[in-house]
């Protein structure tokens, strides 16, 4: 096997011995944060002398921002502010994973910390009880930089048999998908489900429904778990929205949205209202839907391969070639949720959910500006 990493080939039985050693009353806490690229995740671990019972028991920490594309000038220390705690599915109970916000030396949000402003919006629209569910698509890549399991030279058979497939020649890398699913459940991620995608070696998991700020928190940690599980298997999961040019599907983060009003009897009228508002802010949203101001999505949103055109807004019932899709069942029941199909796989869910809540639920003069 040349396409998996050297680390994944280390003797895992030896590792098991150390992992099974008792750790006394101590607790390992792994702090996780978003780096200066707005896409990358970083983490480091420390010992606490007792098990934290809630996020309030986890102290602030810091790191060297000059090594994560995050520092400004000569002040390279950045603060880590714990915001949400999960169980650690790798080192097991009582150890924790903790998602953190990043602040600069002056305690102002780091440039890629979009959680703070997202939370402001979510607090402002609290009475609407906005729920999100995000479908995270990703592609497995071998150590050779090629989609995992694809022939060294040439391509697999064209798309058609792979979506939701079973069978050795159609579903590639399922061990990773199943391990990640269990890791999410153990950690406390509200994982909704998973499926094989249209392009071979492409998969999806869904997180949600989650209310408000929790969507971004849960998705970022679910991504961390994915990258970490992939490490064990020696394969890379990329969130590039169009990893293979040509007749191969790209990868998105379809974002499903509902408010209390939309979920109640006759809620379809509120869904239509929200879509009308979204139609007037198409390009503003596209700018927020990938980490490069729409550049990444230009490769993906071509109007082909179940996508809409990046320059045009469209909406429709059961239409997978539209910017916004109303699921068939929602059209029939006249209540439920809608799906924004535009966010790229590598989007920041804080920016996406913030933009949607801003546009659909706040008047222009109430909108929260800034990062
Ligand atoms: P698709 O048919 O587009 O592939 P999926 O089944 O993959 O849809 O994903 C559906 C998503 O919708 C899940 O993330 C789920 O959490 C989310 N969802 C379901 N009900 C609601 C709701 N009322 N509000 C917001 N999101 C919802
Ligand atoms: Mn889906
Ligand atoms: Mn999908
Ligand atoms: Mn979808």
């Amino acid at each position: 096997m040349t396409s998996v990493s050297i680390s994944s080939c280390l003797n895992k039985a030896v590792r098991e011995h150390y992992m099974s050693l008792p750790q006394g009353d101590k607790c390992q806490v792994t702090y996780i944060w978003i780096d200066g690229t707005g896409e990358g995740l970083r983490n480091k671990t420390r010992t606490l002398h007792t098990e934290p019972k809630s996020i309030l028991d986890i102290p602030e920490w810091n790191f060297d921002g000059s090594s994560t594309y995050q520092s400004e000038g000569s002040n390279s220390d950045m603060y880590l502010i714990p915001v949400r705690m999960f169980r650690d599915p790798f080192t097991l109970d009582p150890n924790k994973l903790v998602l953190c916000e990043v602040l600069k030396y002056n305690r102002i949000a780091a440039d890629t910390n979009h959680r703070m402003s997202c939370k402001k919006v979510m607090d402002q629209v609290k009475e609407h009880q906005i729920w999100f569910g995000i479908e995270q698509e990703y592609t497995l890549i071998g150590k050779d930089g090629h989609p995992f399991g694809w022939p060294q030279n040439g391509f697999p058979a064209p798309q058609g048999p792979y979506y939701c497939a079973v069978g050795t020649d159609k579903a590639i890398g399922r061990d990773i998908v199943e391990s990640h699913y269990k890791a999410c459940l153990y950690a406390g991620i509200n994982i909704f489900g998973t499926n094989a995608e249209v392009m071979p070696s492409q998969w999806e998991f869904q997180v949600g429904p989650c209310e408000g700020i929790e969507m971004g928190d849960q998705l970022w940690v679910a991504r961390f778990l994915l990258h970490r599980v992939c490490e064990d298997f020696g394969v890379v999961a990329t969130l590039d929205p169009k990893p293979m040019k040509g007749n191969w599907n790209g990868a998105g983060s379809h974002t499903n949205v509902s408010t209390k009003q939309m979920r109640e009897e006759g809620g379809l009228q509120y869904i239509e209202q929200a879509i009308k508002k979204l139609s007037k802010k198409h390009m503003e949203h596209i700018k927020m839907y990938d980490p490069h101001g729409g550049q990444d999505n230009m490769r993906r949103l071509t109007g082909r391969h179940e996508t809409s055109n990046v320059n045009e807004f469209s909406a429709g019932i059961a239409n997978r070639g539209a910017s916004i899709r109303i699921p068939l069942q929602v059209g029939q029941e006249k209540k439920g949720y809608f799906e924004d199909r535009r966010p790229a796989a590598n989007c920041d869910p804080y920016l996406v959910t913030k933009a949607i809540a801003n546009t659909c639920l706040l008047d222009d003069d109430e909108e929260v500006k800034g990062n």
Side-chain angles (χ1 to χ4, degrees), residues 135 195 204 206:
E135 305 166 48
N195 60 266
E204 165 178 319
Q206 306 96 25

Side-chain angles (χ1 to χ4, degrees), residues 136-365:
Q136 178 68 66
E137 294 177 336
Y138 61 94
T139 308
L140 299 177
I141 304 281
K143 199 191 68 174
D144 53 7
H146 213 55
F148 186 58
W150 284 34
Q152 281 297 317
N153 297 299
F155 295 92
Q159 292 185 164
Y162 307 110
Y163 171 73
C164 297
V166 62
T168 304
D169 53 340
K170 302 186 198 75
I172 306 169
R174 192 188 299 278
D175 281 344
I176 289 170
V177 179
E178 292 184 344
S179 301
H180 174 253
Y181 202 150
K182 291 279 190 184
C184 283
L185 290 175
Y186 184 94
I189 298 289
N190 183 16
I191 183 166
F192 175 90
T194 182
N195 60 266
E197 267 306 334
V198 174
M199 184 176 102
S201 295
Q202 200 167 71
W203 296 84
E204 165 178 319
F205 65 87
Q206 306 96 25
V207 176
C210 294
E211 188 167 333
I213 195 68
E214 187 146 14
M215 183 71 254
D217 292 352
Q218 293 238 355
L219 189 67
W220 275 113
V221 175
R223 285 177 180 175
F224 175 84
L225 297 178
L226 178 65
H227 296 309
R228 177 64 187 75
V229 165
C230 280
E231 234 181 71
D232 282 345
F233 287 101
V235 172
V236 170
T238 179
L239 303 189
D240 188 299
K242 189 77 177 184
M244 298 308 287
K245 283 201 190 115
N247 253 335
W248 304 102
N249 274 34
S253 294
H254 298 167
T255 302
N256 300 273
V257 187
S258 66
T259 60
K260 189 163 177 286
Q261 288 175 319
M262 294 174 191
R263 293 188 292 271
E264 285 169 356
E265 228 39 59
L268 189 60
Q269 58 170 307
Y270 296 101
I271 293 177
E272 283 163 352
Q273 222 174 65
I275 292 173
K276 194 162 173 209
K277 288 186 168 177
L278 288 166
S279 75
K280 294 181 181 150
K281 297 251 163 111
H282 177 64
M283 282 327 262
E284 286 97 319
H285 278 250
I286 289 292
K287 286 198 187 94
M288 297 295 158
Y289 283 6
D290 71 53
H292 299 102
Q295 294 290 316
D296 292 341
N297 247 338
M298 302 238 248
R299 293 183 281 129
R300 164 179 167 257
L301 297 178
T302 57
R304 300 183 59 216
H305 308 108
E306 300 166 63
T307 68
S308 57
N309 185 300
V310 71
N311 297 308
E312 290 161 25
F313 183 89
S314 55
I317 294 179
N319 184 355
R320 289 172 192 267
S323 318
I324 306 281
R325 162 178 156 257
I326 297 175
L328 188 59
Q329 195 186 345
V330 175
Q332 284 164 348
E333 293 178 0
K334 305 219 179 305
K335 63 172 181 183
Y337 64 97
F338 68 89
E339 175 191 43
D340 190 338
R341 300 176 60 80
R342 297 170 294 175
N346 58 349
C347 71
D348 183 336
Y350 294 128
L351 283 177
V352 171
T353 57
K354 173 187 155 186
I356 292 171
N358 249 337
T359 300
C360 299
L361 299 175
L362 292 176
D363 291 335
D364 279 356
D365 61 336

Side-chain angles (χ1 to χ4, degrees), residues 4-26:
V4 301
S5 74
I6 187 77
S7 305
S8 69
C9 301
L10 292 173
N11 188 331
K12 301 300 173 179
V14 176
R15 179 181 190 271
E16 243 352 270
H17 166 72
Y18 296 101
M19 289 300 109
S20 69
L21 294 175
Q23 61 180 65
D25 296 331
K26 311 285 190 208

